[in-house]
Amino acid sequence: MDTNMTERTSPTQTKWRKVAYGGMQPGFDDNHTDESFLEEMVTNANVRKRDMLKVMQDSVSISQYLCIVTLTGLVWIYTLRSTLNENSLLLLDVTLLGLGFLILLLTQEMFSLNLLFHYILNISFFTTSLYLLAPIYQTLTRSISSDSVWAVTVSLLVLHLFLHDYFGSTIRTLEAPNNPTLTSCISLNASVVASVFMASRLPSSLLVFANMLFSLQVFLFAPLVTYCIRKYSFRLHLWFSFSLMVATLAFVYTLHLFLFVMLLGLLVFVTVVCPYWLIRMQEYKFEINGPWDEAKLCFEIVD
């Protein structure tokens, strides 16, 4: 009799349901989970399997730009030592500018003569302004010691290399889908300030102008040219990069043996050791996804 009354009065046990909203379910705690909670767990769903050769090929862009910055530093050193005079440096500027435009004409399909004329006009205004500002740049760090100038210059170049966009260009090309990032713009500004600091130690305003023109061509124009080469032909990009590495190592070897060993070790570290570390670290990566993850929007908001 009592048993029958108990069965009639006891509430029926409701089944637990997995709901996002609605509050607590009667008879269950707020953090309750049943046996099916871990059935939807997925491990390493977003982990990308990387190939050693592909990672090494991608790291060539970093080694290439390291060599470009190293060559820029060598030109600064030779200019300070009076090994390069104004005429030689101006000839180098004109040669690099002509080669850069020639590469753009050969690699860009949408590059037209009107766009070339637009670029030349902008460069003319830019060069004229730089020539007028050269006497100011020459006296900018007159009251600062050379050790401080070198320390600031090296620090700015390290910042430039750390924030540089090695797979894009600060100058937006016709085929570029996105604008330059904030970090790449900061990197460019750091390189420009470093160029101004270094040019301010030169004896003549014409040499300051030639040095600044060379530096800005490298930091502004060289990433655009290398980007166009890589988009046009990846094999050509590899040949150009390895040739640039060999030439840079040869120039550094003539300057100092210790610097040659440091640069060679840095290139091997970036091109071989770092990709090997990345591949090895993938073996220890463990990522789990399941019903506890936050919801993500599956659509894109378009203006």
Side-chain angles (χ1 to χ4, degrees):
M1 184 68 180
D2 295 338
T3 305
N4 293 335
M5 291 296 294
T6 304
E7 291 177 354
R8 291 175 183 176
T9 57
S10 61
T12 58
Q13 185 71 20
T14 59
K15 185 179 180 181
W16 178 80
R17 296 178 297 112
K18 185 177 67 174
V19 294
Y21 303 99
M24 295 178 59
Q25 302 181 40
F28 299 98
D29 296 331
D30 187 43
N31 60 348
H32 175 80
T33 56
D34 63 355
E35 296 80 5
S36 63
F37 183 71
L38 295 179
E39 292 180 356
E40 300 179 6
M41 185 182 71
V42 181
T43 59
N44 296 335
N46 300 319
V47 176
R48 296 176 55 186
K49 300 296 182 181
R50 302 181 184 273
D51 181 65
M52 179 67 180
L53 181 61
K54 180 64 169 61
V55 178
M56 290 180 63
Q57 290 176 351
D58 292 337
S59 66
V60 169
S61 298
I62 303 177
S63 300
Q64 177 200 78
Y65 195 73
L66 287 175
C67 292
I68 291 176
V69 175
T70 302
L71 289 175
T72 306
L74 289 177
V75 171
W76 289 351
I77 293 174
Y78 289 144
T79 306
L80 290 172
R81 291 182 175 182
S82 300
T83 305
L84 287 175
N85 55 19
E86 296 90 339
N87 297 329
S88 302
L89 199 52
L90 287 174
L91 180 61
L92 179 62
D93 293 340
V94 175
T95 303
L96 291 178
L97 189 62
L99 289 176
F101 275 116
L102 180 62
I103 293 175
L104 290 180
L105 286 173
L106 296 177
T107 56
Q108 289 289 310
E109 297 180 356
M110 301 176 60
F111 201 83
S112 61
L113 293 179
N114 292 330
L115 186 60
L116 177 62
F117 177 75
H118 177 72
Y119 281 165
I120 293 177
L121 186 63
N122 289 338
I123 290 176
S124 301
F125 287 127
F126 175 77
T127 305
T128 303
S129 302
L130 189 62
Y131 181 78
L132 295 176
L133 292 173
I136 300 177
Y137 293 151
Q138 184 184 2
T139 60
L140 190 63
T141 61
R142 180 173 295 176
S143 59
I144 303 176
S145 64
S146 298
D147 294 338
S148 300
V149 171
W150 274 105
V152 173
T153 302
V154 172
S155 302
L156 290 173
L157 286 181
V158 172
L159 178 64
H160 168 68
L161 292 173
F162 184 75
L163 299 178
H164 181 70
D165 183 10
Y166 291 95
F167 299 97
S169 173
T170 308
I171 301 177
R172 186 178 181 182
T173 59
L174 297 175
E175 301 176 357
N178 300 319
N179 291 321
T181 60
L182 176 62
T183 54
S184 63
C185 294
I186 295 176
S187 172
L188 177 62
N189 290 331
S191 64
V192 171
V193 176
S195 304
V196 172
F197 268 70
M198 190 52 56
S200 63
R201 314 305 292 182
L202 297 176
S204 65
S205 60
L206 183 59
L207 195 57
V208 170
F209 164 72
N211 198 345
M212 282 294 300
L213 184 59
F214 169 79
S215 301
L216 294 181
Q217 280 184 5
V218 171
F219 294 122
L220 273 172
F221 205 42
L224 174 63
V225 172
T226 55
Y227 173 80
C228 293
I229 292 176
R230 185 171 62 252
K231 296 293 290 185
Y232 179 76
S233 173
F234 191 76
R235 180 174 296 181
L236 180 61
H237 162 70
L238 293 179
W239 278 106
F240 173 74
S241 301
F242 285 117
S243 301
L244 187 64
M245 292 179 196
V246 173
T248 305
L249 288 172
F251 282 117
V252 173
Y253 180 79
T254 59
L255 182 66
H256 203 284
L257 181 60
F258 178 71
L259 296 178
F260 168 80
V261 175
M262 286 188 59
L263 180 60
L264 181 60
L266 180 61
L267 294 179
V268 173
F269 178 77
V270 171
T271 311
V272 180
V273 178
C274 287
Y276 175 75
W277 277 357
L278 180 62
I279 298 297
R280 288 298 303 271
M281 285 189 297
Q282 296 296 313
E283 302 176 2
Y284 304 100
K285 188 170 184 179
F286 184 74
E287 178 185 2
I288 58 174
N289 300 95
W292 54 83
D293 293 335
E294 296 180 359
K296 298 180 180 179
L297 297 177
C298 298
F299 58 87
E300 296 181 359
I301 300 177
V302 182
D303 295 336

